[in-house]
Amino acid sequence: MLPGEDAAVVGELLAQRFGLPFWQFALTATDANRFVIRWARAVTGRSKVLVFNGCYHGTVDDVFVDLVDGVPTQRDSLLGQVYDLTRHTAVVEFNDLAALEVALAAGDVACVLAEPAMTNVGMVLPQPGFWAAARALIRAAGALLVCDETHTISTGPGGYARAHGLEPDFFVLGKPVGGGVACAVYGFTAELAARMQATKSAAPPGHSGIGTTLTANALAMAAMRANLESVMTEAAYAHMFALAERLAAGLRAAIGRHGLPWCVSQVGARTEFQFCAAPPVNGSEAEAAMDHGLEHALHLYLLNRGVLITPFHNMMLVCPETTAGMWIGWWRWSRRRLES
């Protein structure tokens, strides 16, 4: 609750890196997304959040809505929810500009909460021109764009939005910003900061419910400062990109040798193989390509050979400590195991 020197330094580092001048802190990306939704509703006076089918933004209740046969449907897996989320959450397919335009037309959407590339239903990359057109539609409708880059920070030091010029109103980043320590951040534009301040000043006095006692705690701030200054560097990303390219190329070669109808997608240091011949263009296609039995068998195969990948779908990350020698050593070890 009392900011220290690290908070000021971290704020400056975030502004330089991501291009947004104002920052607040949270303990998780879930909290940051929840706080941003509250702010978006407060400053716009609108109730609805728009998400893309198959999205994941932590355990924020508002986003647990999917398209089922084209109909927005609250997920049955959401425990303890007592009101219909579809009254306040709109959902459309990723890469579907026509559906996005229709959903925004009523003028009741406060914000579009999105990963710039979907990463939790397998991987779904934006089609060429999608985000430029989507950004124009969102602005024209008076809604706000929230980029949740907790996963797509793999794109580069400034994330996907900075690399591709998305110009979000809000930017959310979770635990990667502190190297895995419990922390998160959300940044916003100067224009939005003024609206937020005016909204807070016009409200009755008292706690807003946005923020927690442990937000910006000393450990989190120290971790973020160390990570931003010394770990998330241009050189580290260049190292990771080269190895991720090698990994993706190796996967494609192996898939080709065996004639499998699979594809490989990549977002910077993040690589995924999926059980479909062409990369999916939306969440429904990505989910349809999933084969949970095959996925579990592959994961078990890799575990038995000393390799642990993400325990859901088929995503792999390289990190600054990953080396080509690690893969060569694993390959030789695996061959010896198979031959013995």
Side-chain angles (χ1 to χ4, degrees):
M1 298 178 74
L2 294 174
E5 178 185 341
D6 284 344
V9 175
V10 169
E12 292 171 356
L13 292 170
L14 291 168
Q16 293 166 10
R17 181 178 293 256
F18 299 110
L20 292 167
F22 290 89
W23 293 85
Q24 288 285 312
F25 302 103
L27 280 176
T28 69
T30 292
D31 277 348
N33 282 320
R34 188 180 293 117
F35 298 160
V36 164
I37 289 172
R38 290 278 304 280
W39 275 120
R41 285 170 165 161
V43 301
T44 63
R46 300 175 176 185
S47 70
K48 282 193 175 180
V49 176
L50 189 149
V51 296
F52 291 106
N53 186 41
C55 71
Y56 180 76
H57 299 287
T59 56
V60 179
D61 290 357
D62 305 72
V63 306
F64 278 63
V65 179
D66 294 316
L67 284 176
V68 178
D69 297 325
V71 179
T73 305
Q74 183 172 309
R75 293 180 192 170
D76 293 335
S77 59
L78 183 59
L79 300 176
Q81 182 54 252
V82 296
Y83 66 86
D84 182 6
L85 293 177
T86 61
R87 291 164 44 201
H88 300 289
T89 300
V91 57
V92 300
E93 293 285 12
F94 197 66
N95 282 317
D96 191 338
L97 289 169
L100 177 62
E101 184 172 17
V102 169
L104 291 168
D108 56 356
V109 172
C111 68
V112 175
L113 173 58
E115 291 185 288
M118 298 186 74
T119 63
N120 214 73
V121 65
M123 192 178 288
V124 182
L125 304 182
Q127 294 184 315
F130 170 72
W131 272 119
R135 190 70 187 94
L137 289 173
I138 294 165
R139 277 205 178 104
L144 302 172
L145 173 61
V146 183
C147 284
D148 179 353
E149 295 232 32
T150 300
H151 287 183
T152 56
I153 191 63
S154 63
T155 307
Y160 195 102
R162 196 77 190 271
H164 295 276
L166 268 61
E167 298 182 355
D169 299 292
F170 281 109
F171 178 100
V172 171
L173 180 58
K175 52 189 169 289
V177 74
V181 170
C183 63
V185 297
Y186 61 98
F188 39 95
T189 64
E191 185 272 339
L192 191 50
R195 292 173 66 183
M196 292 161 68
Q197 185 63 52
T199 299
K200 176 61 178 171
S201 297
H207 183 39
S208 67
I210 300 175
T212 63
T213 305
L214 290 175
T215 293
N217 66 78
L219 174 60
M221 303 314 297
M224 282 189 271
R225 180 173 181 174
N227 203 40
L228 290 167
E229 288 182 334
S230 304
V231 181
M232 293 176 66
T233 63
E234 294 277 358
Y237 272 96
H239 170 80
M240 293 189 293
F241 291 164
L243 291 178
E245 290 285 352
R246 178 172 177 167
L247 174 60
L251 286 168
R252 291 188 180 102
I255 288 167
R257 283 197 304 272
H258 294 281
L260 297 170
W262 299 356
C263 65
V264 176
S265 298
Q266 185 182 350
V267 176
R270 188 183 186 98
T271 304
E272 177 117 17
F273 63 92
Q274 290 162 280
F275 307 136
C276 48
V281 299
N282 58 47
S284 291
E285 288 188 10
E287 187 171 8
M290 290 181 173
D291 183 329
H292 297 296
L294 177 57
E295 181 181 296
H296 291 163
L298 284 168
H299 287 204
L300 181 59
Y301 177 92
L302 291 171
L303 278 171
N304 284 334
R305 286 153 182 82
V307 178
L308 172 67
I309 67 172
T310 302
F312 46 88
H313 48 94
N314 302 308
M315 189 276 294
M316 289 157 283
L317 282 163
V318 297
C319 75
E321 293 300 305
T322 308
T323 66
M326 290 178 180
W327 291 343
I328 294 169
W330 167 77
W331 175 249
R332 289 172 178 165
W333 176 85
S334 178
R335 286 291 298 272
R336 286 196 299 270
R337 283 283 302 274
L338 289 170
E339 291 166 358
S340 62

